mmCIF file of all heavy atoms in Angstrom:
data_model
loop_
_atom_site.group_PDB
_atom_site.id
_atom_site.type_symbol
_atom_site.label_atom_id
_atom_site.label_comp_id
_atom_site.label_asym_id
_atom_site.label_seq_id
_atom_site.Cartn_x
_atom_site.Cartn_y
_atom_site.Cartn_z
ATOM 1 N N LYS J 64 37.577 -88.412 92.667
ATOM 2 C CA LYS J 64 37.810 -87.147 93.372
ATOM 3 C C LYS J 64 38.906 -87.209 94.428
ATOM 4 O O LYS J 64 38.721 -86.793 95.567
ATOM 5 C CB LYS J 64 36.505 -86.654 93.997
ATOM 6 C CG LYS J 64 35.410 -86.515 92.945
ATOM 7 C CD LYS J 64 34.372 -85.512 93.324
ATOM 8 C CE LYS J 64 33.480 -85.177 92.149
ATOM 9 N NZ LYS J 64 32.056 -85.302 92.425
ATOM 10 N N GLY J 65 40.028 -87.772 94.046
ATOM 11 C CA GLY J 65 41.190 -87.752 94.932
ATOM 12 C C GLY J 65 41.136 -88.766 96.052
ATOM 13 O O GLY J 65 41.937 -88.720 96.978
ATOM 14 N N GLN J 66 40.160 -89.682 96.006
ATOM 15 C CA GLN J 66 40.061 -90.695 97.054
ATOM 16 C C GLN J 66 40.196 -92.100 96.480
ATOM 17 O O GLN J 66 39.804 -92.333 95.344
ATOM 18 C CB GLN J 66 38.716 -90.582 97.760
ATOM 19 C CG GLN J 66 38.648 -89.381 98.677
ATOM 20 C CD GLN J 66 37.227 -89.085 99.106
ATOM 21 O OE1 GLN J 66 36.405 -89.996 99.205
ATOM 22 N NE2 GLN J 66 36.931 -87.820 99.326
ATOM 23 N N GLU J 67 40.745 -93.007 97.319
ATOM 24 C CA GLU J 67 40.910 -94.389 96.862
ATOM 25 C C GLU J 67 39.601 -95.142 96.991
ATOM 26 O O GLU J 67 39.350 -95.801 97.991
ATOM 27 C CB GLU J 67 42.008 -95.072 97.675
ATOM 28 C CG GLU J 67 43.376 -94.548 97.319
ATOM 29 C CD GLU J 67 44.502 -95.288 98.035
ATOM 30 O OE1 GLU J 67 44.328 -96.498 98.323
ATOM 31 O OE2 GLU J 67 45.523 -94.652 98.303
ATOM 32 N N LYS J 68 38.767 -95.041 95.985
ATOM 33 C CA LYS J 68 37.476 -95.736 96.032
ATOM 34 C C LYS J 68 37.576 -97.014 95.193
ATOM 35 O O LYS J 68 37.827 -96.934 93.989
ATOM 36 C CB LYS J 68 36.386 -94.827 95.479
ATOM 37 C CG LYS J 68 36.156 -93.583 96.322
ATOM 38 C CD LYS J 68 34.937 -92.826 95.844
ATOM 39 C CE LYS J 68 34.733 -91.564 96.671
ATOM 40 N NZ LYS J 68 33.985 -90.545 95.953
ATOM 41 N N PRO J 69 37.361 -98.178 95.833
ATOM 42 C CA PRO J 69 37.571 -99.452 95.138
ATOM 43 C C PRO J 69 36.779 -99.566 93.827
ATOM 44 O O PRO J 69 37.247 -100.189 92.877
ATOM 45 C CB PRO J 69 37.082 -100.510 96.143
ATOM 46 C CG PRO J 69 36.833 -99.798 97.420
ATOM 47 C CD PRO J 69 36.943 -98.332 97.220
ATOM 48 N N GLU J 70 35.595 -98.965 93.783
ATOM 49 C CA GLU J 70 34.795 -99.100 92.555
ATOM 50 C C GLU J 70 35.431 -98.376 91.376
ATOM 51 O O GLU J 70 35.032 -98.570 90.231
ATOM 52 C CB GLU J 70 33.342 -98.646 92.782
ATOM 53 C CG GLU J 70 33.136 -97.166 93.050
ATOM 54 C CD GLU J 70 33.179 -96.796 94.550
ATOM 55 O OE1 GLU J 70 33.944 -97.425 95.309
ATOM 56 O OE2 GLU J 70 32.456 -95.858 94.934
ATOM 57 N N PHE J 71 36.435 -97.536 91.650
ATOM 58 C CA PHE J 71 37.127 -96.841 90.563
ATOM 59 C C PHE J 71 38.532 -97.403 90.318
ATOM 60 O O PHE J 71 39.341 -96.802 89.615
ATOM 61 C CB PHE J 71 37.216 -95.342 90.845
ATOM 62 C CG PHE J 71 35.887 -94.643 90.786
ATOM 63 C CD1 PHE J 71 35.276 -94.182 91.950
ATOM 64 C CD2 PHE J 71 35.238 -94.461 89.581
ATOM 65 C CE1 PHE J 71 34.044 -93.537 91.910
ATOM 66 C CE2 PHE J 71 34.002 -93.826 89.520
ATOM 67 C CZ PHE J 71 33.406 -93.368 90.682
ATOM 68 N N SER J 72 38.830 -98.564 90.930
ATOM 69 C CA SER J 72 40.160 -99.154 90.721
ATOM 70 C C SER J 72 40.309 -99.622 89.275
ATOM 71 O O SER J 72 39.357 -100.099 88.659
ATOM 72 C CB SER J 72 40.362 -100.339 91.661
ATOM 73 O OG SER J 72 41.587 -100.977 91.334
ATOM 74 N N LEU J 73 41.531 -99.514 88.760
ATOM 75 C CA LEU J 73 41.808 -99.999 87.402
ATOM 76 C C LEU J 73 42.271 -101.462 87.404
ATOM 77 O O LEU J 73 42.629 -101.997 86.358
ATOM 78 C CB LEU J 73 42.873 -99.117 86.745
ATOM 79 C CG LEU J 73 42.349 -97.831 86.071
ATOM 80 C CD1 LEU J 73 43.509 -96.914 85.695
ATOM 81 C CD2 LEU J 73 41.514 -98.165 84.831
ATOM 82 N N SER J 74 42.226 -102.102 88.580
ATOM 83 C CA SER J 74 42.775 -103.464 88.680
ATOM 84 C C SER J 74 42.036 -104.477 87.805
ATOM 85 O O SER J 74 42.582 -105.529 87.479
ATOM 86 C CB SER J 74 42.761 -103.935 90.142
ATOM 87 O OG SER J 74 41.435 -103.894 90.625
ATOM 88 N N PHE J 75 40.814 -104.167 87.395
ATOM 89 C CA PHE J 75 40.050 -105.109 86.556
ATOM 90 C C PHE J 75 40.540 -105.103 85.100
ATOM 91 O O PHE J 75 40.212 -105.984 84.326
ATOM 92 C CB PHE J 75 38.553 -104.747 86.556
ATOM 93 C CG PHE J 75 38.241 -103.546 85.697
ATOM 94 C CD1 PHE J 75 37.740 -103.719 84.403
ATOM 95 C CD2 PHE J 75 38.483 -102.264 86.154
ATOM 96 C CE1 PHE J 75 37.476 -102.617 83.594
ATOM 97 C CE2 PHE J 75 38.219 -101.164 85.346
ATOM 98 C CZ PHE J 75 37.720 -101.334 84.066
ATOM 99 N N LEU J 76 41.317 -104.090 84.728
ATOM 100 C CA LEU J 76 41.564 -103.830 83.308
ATOM 101 C C LEU J 76 42.659 -104.673 82.629
ATOM 102 O O LEU J 76 42.533 -104.976 81.436
ATOM 103 C CB LEU J 76 41.841 -102.336 83.108
ATOM 104 C CG LEU J 76 41.664 -101.788 81.698
ATOM 105 C CD1 LEU J 76 40.265 -102.028 81.151
ATOM 106 C CD2 LEU J 76 41.987 -100.292 81.664
ATOM 107 N N PRO J 77 43.768 -105.050 83.338
ATOM 108 C CA PRO J 77 44.851 -105.757 82.640
ATOM 109 C C PRO J 77 44.414 -106.908 81.723
ATOM 110 O O PRO J 77 44.914 -106.995 80.602
ATOM 111 C CB PRO J 77 45.769 -106.211 83.781
ATOM 112 C CG PRO J 77 45.635 -105.104 84.774
ATOM 113 C CD PRO J 77 44.164 -104.726 84.723
ATOM 114 N N PRO J 78 43.475 -107.796 82.136
ATOM 115 C CA PRO J 78 43.094 -108.876 81.208
ATOM 116 C C PRO J 78 42.552 -108.359 79.872
ATOM 117 O O PRO J 78 42.798 -108.965 78.832
ATOM 118 C CB PRO J 78 41.987 -109.628 81.974
ATOM 119 C CG PRO J 78 42.215 -109.290 83.402
ATOM 120 C CD PRO J 78 42.803 -107.925 83.437
ATOM 121 N N PHE J 79 41.829 -107.220 79.911
ATOM 122 C CA PHE J 79 41.288 -106.654 78.669
ATOM 123 C C PHE J 79 42.422 -106.077 77.807
ATOM 124 O O PHE J 79 42.407 -106.183 76.580
ATOM 125 C CB PHE J 79 40.254 -105.565 78.982
ATOM 126 C CG PHE J 79 39.034 -106.094 79.683
ATOM 127 C CD1 PHE J 79 38.951 -106.084 81.073
ATOM 128 C CD2 PHE J 79 37.980 -106.650 78.962
ATOM 129 C CE1 PHE J 79 37.846 -106.588 81.726
ATOM 130 C CE2 PHE J 79 36.861 -107.153 79.605
ATOM 131 C CZ PHE J 79 36.794 -107.125 80.998
ATOM 132 N N LEU J 80 43.397 -105.468 78.478
ATOM 133 C CA LEU J 80 44.540 -104.920 77.747
ATOM 134 C C LEU J 80 45.350 -106.057 77.118
ATOM 135 O O LEU J 80 45.765 -105.972 75.956
ATOM 136 C CB LEU J 80 45.449 -104.105 78.687
ATOM 137 C CG LEU J 80 44.792 -102.939 79.434
ATOM 138 C CD1 LEU J 80 45.814 -102.235 80.327
ATOM 139 C CD2 LEU J 80 44.168 -101.938 78.456
ATOM 140 N N GLU J 81 45.538 -107.131 77.875
ATOM 141 C CA GLU J 81 46.324 -108.268 77.384
ATOM 142 C C GLU J 81 45.720 -108.826 76.112
ATOM 143 O O GLU J 81 46.416 -109.157 75.152
ATOM 144 C CB GLU J 81 46.382 -109.371 78.456
ATOM 145 C CG GLU J 81 47.303 -109.002 79.601
ATOM 146 C CD GLU J 81 47.348 -110.062 80.703
ATOM 147 O OE1 GLU J 81 46.561 -111.047 80.637
ATOM 148 O OE2 GLU J 81 48.166 -109.898 81.633
ATOM 149 N N LYS J 82 44.397 -108.920 76.103
ATOM 150 C CA LYS J 82 43.701 -109.502 74.959
ATOM 151 C C LYS J 82 43.902 -108.637 73.710
ATOM 152 O O LYS J 82 44.157 -109.142 72.623
ATOM 153 C CB LYS J 82 42.205 -109.602 75.294
ATOM 154 C CG LYS J 82 41.514 -110.719 74.559
ATOM 155 C CD LYS J 82 40.176 -111.054 75.204
ATOM 156 C CE LYS J 82 39.104 -111.165 74.142
ATOM 157 N NZ LYS J 82 37.771 -110.985 74.691
ATOM 158 N N LYS J 83 43.814 -107.335 73.882
ATOM 159 C CA LYS J 83 43.887 -106.426 72.726
ATOM 160 C C LYS J 83 45.325 -106.132 72.308
ATOM 161 O O LYS J 83 45.602 -105.871 71.149
ATOM 162 C CB LYS J 83 43.178 -105.111 73.058
ATOM 163 C CG LYS J 83 41.677 -105.267 73.193
ATOM 164 C CD LYS J 83 41.083 -105.575 71.828
ATOM 165 C CE LYS J 83 39.601 -105.864 71.916
ATOM 166 N NZ LYS J 83 39.037 -106.136 70.581
ATOM 167 N N TRP J 84 46.238 -106.126 73.287
ATOM 168 C CA TRP J 84 47.622 -105.747 72.981
ATOM 169 C C TRP J 84 48.521 -106.978 72.784
ATOM 170 O O TRP J 84 49.701 -106.827 72.443
ATOM 171 C CB TRP J 84 48.196 -104.874 74.110
ATOM 172 C CG TRP J 84 47.496 -103.542 74.271
ATOM 173 C CD1 TRP J 84 46.617 -102.967 73.386
ATOM 174 C CD2 TRP J 84 47.635 -102.621 75.358
ATOM 175 N NE1 TRP J 84 46.190 -101.755 73.874
ATOM 176 C CE2 TRP J 84 46.806 -101.505 75.078
ATOM 177 C CE3 TRP J 84 48.379 -102.612 76.553
ATOM 178 C CZ2 TRP J 84 46.687 -100.415 75.935
ATOM 179 C CZ3 TRP J 84 48.266 -101.531 77.405
ATOM 180 C CH2 TRP J 84 47.436 -100.435 77.099
ATOM 181 N N SER J 85 47.975 -108.161 73.025
ATOM 182 C CA SER J 85 48.730 -109.419 72.876
ATOM 183 C C SER J 85 50.060 -109.393 73.628
ATOM 184 O O SER J 85 51.114 -109.731 73.083
ATOM 185 C CB SER J 85 49.007 -109.720 71.399
ATOM 186 O OG SER J 85 47.844 -109.615 70.643
ATOM 187 N N VAL J 86 50.017 -108.978 74.883
ATOM 188 C CA VAL J 86 51.216 -108.954 75.717
ATOM 189 C C VAL J 86 50.761 -109.057 77.178
ATOM 190 O O VAL J 86 49.642 -108.643 77.504
ATOM 191 C CB VAL J 86 52.018 -107.644 75.475
ATOM 192 C CG1 VAL J 86 51.215 -106.410 75.837
ATOM 193 C CG2 VAL J 86 53.352 -107.653 76.228
ATOM 194 N N LYS J 87 51.581 -109.640 78.015
ATOM 195 C CA LYS J 87 51.227 -109.744 79.424
ATOM 196 C C LYS J 87 51.251 -108.340 80.045
ATOM 197 O O LYS J 87 52.140 -107.547 79.783
ATOM 198 C CB LYS J 87 52.260 -110.652 80.121
ATOM 199 C CG LYS J 87 51.953 -110.997 81.532
ATOM 200 C CD LYS J 87 51.597 -112.493 81.687
ATOM 201 C CE LYS J 87 51.123 -112.815 83.092
ATOM 202 N NZ LYS J 87 49.863 -112.162 83.480
ATOM 203 N N VAL J 88 50.233 -108.030 80.862
ATOM 204 C CA VAL J 88 50.164 -106.702 81.487
ATOM 205 C C VAL J 88 50.042 -106.858 82.999
ATOM 206 O O VAL J 88 49.078 -107.457 83.490
ATOM 207 C CB VAL J 88 48.959 -105.889 80.949
ATOM 208 C CG1 VAL J 88 48.881 -104.520 81.635
ATOM 209 C CG2 VAL J 88 49.047 -105.697 79.431
ATOM 210 N N GLY J 89 51.025 -106.337 83.721
ATOM 211 C CA GLY J 89 50.986 -106.392 85.181
ATOM 212 C C GLY J 89 50.204 -105.214 85.738
ATOM 213 O O GLY J 89 49.823 -104.306 85.009
ATOM 214 N N PHE J 90 49.944 -105.267 87.057
ATOM 215 C CA PHE J 90 49.205 -104.158 87.664
ATOM 216 C C PHE J 90 49.892 -103.660 88.926
ATOM 217 O O PHE J 90 50.317 -104.443 89.765
ATOM 218 C CB PHE J 90 47.770 -104.576 87.996
ATOM 219 C CG PHE J 90 46.956 -103.436 88.550
ATOM 220 C CD1 PHE J 90 46.505 -102.428 87.709
ATOM 221 C CD2 PHE J 90 46.680 -103.353 89.917
ATOM 222 C CE1 PHE J 90 45.787 -101.349 88.201
ATOM 223 C CE2 PHE J 90 45.954 -102.275 90.424
ATOM 224 C CZ PHE J 90 45.510 -101.275 89.564
ATOM 225 N N GLY J 91 49.988 -102.347 89.058
ATOM 226 C CA GLY J 91 50.475 -101.742 90.293
ATOM 227 C C GLY J 91 51.992 -101.615 90.342
ATOM 228 O O GLY J 91 52.710 -102.199 89.532
ATOM 229 N N GLN J 92 52.470 -100.838 91.322
ATOM 230 C CA GLN J 92 53.890 -100.498 91.417
ATOM 231 C C GLN J 92 54.803 -101.699 91.630
ATOM 232 O O GLN J 92 55.981 -101.640 91.312
ATOM 233 C CB GLN J 92 54.096 -99.506 92.568
ATOM 234 C CG GLN J 92 53.300 -98.241 92.347
ATOM 235 C CD GLN J 92 53.787 -97.109 93.229
ATOM 236 O OE1 GLN J 92 54.856 -97.187 93.821
ATOM 237 N NE2 GLN J 92 53.006 -96.055 93.303
#
Side-chain angles (χ1 to χ4, degrees):
K64 304 206 168 128
Q66 286 166 30
E67 288 185 31
K68 295 188 181 156
E70 67 269 34
F71 291 109
S72 174
L73 275 169
S74 58
F75 76 99
L76 200 57
F79 295 94
L80 303 180
E81 286 178 354
K82 208 163 133 201
K83 291 291 175 179
W84 296 347
S85 310
V86 61
K87 187 111 187 65
V88 179
F90 183 74
Q92 300 197 13

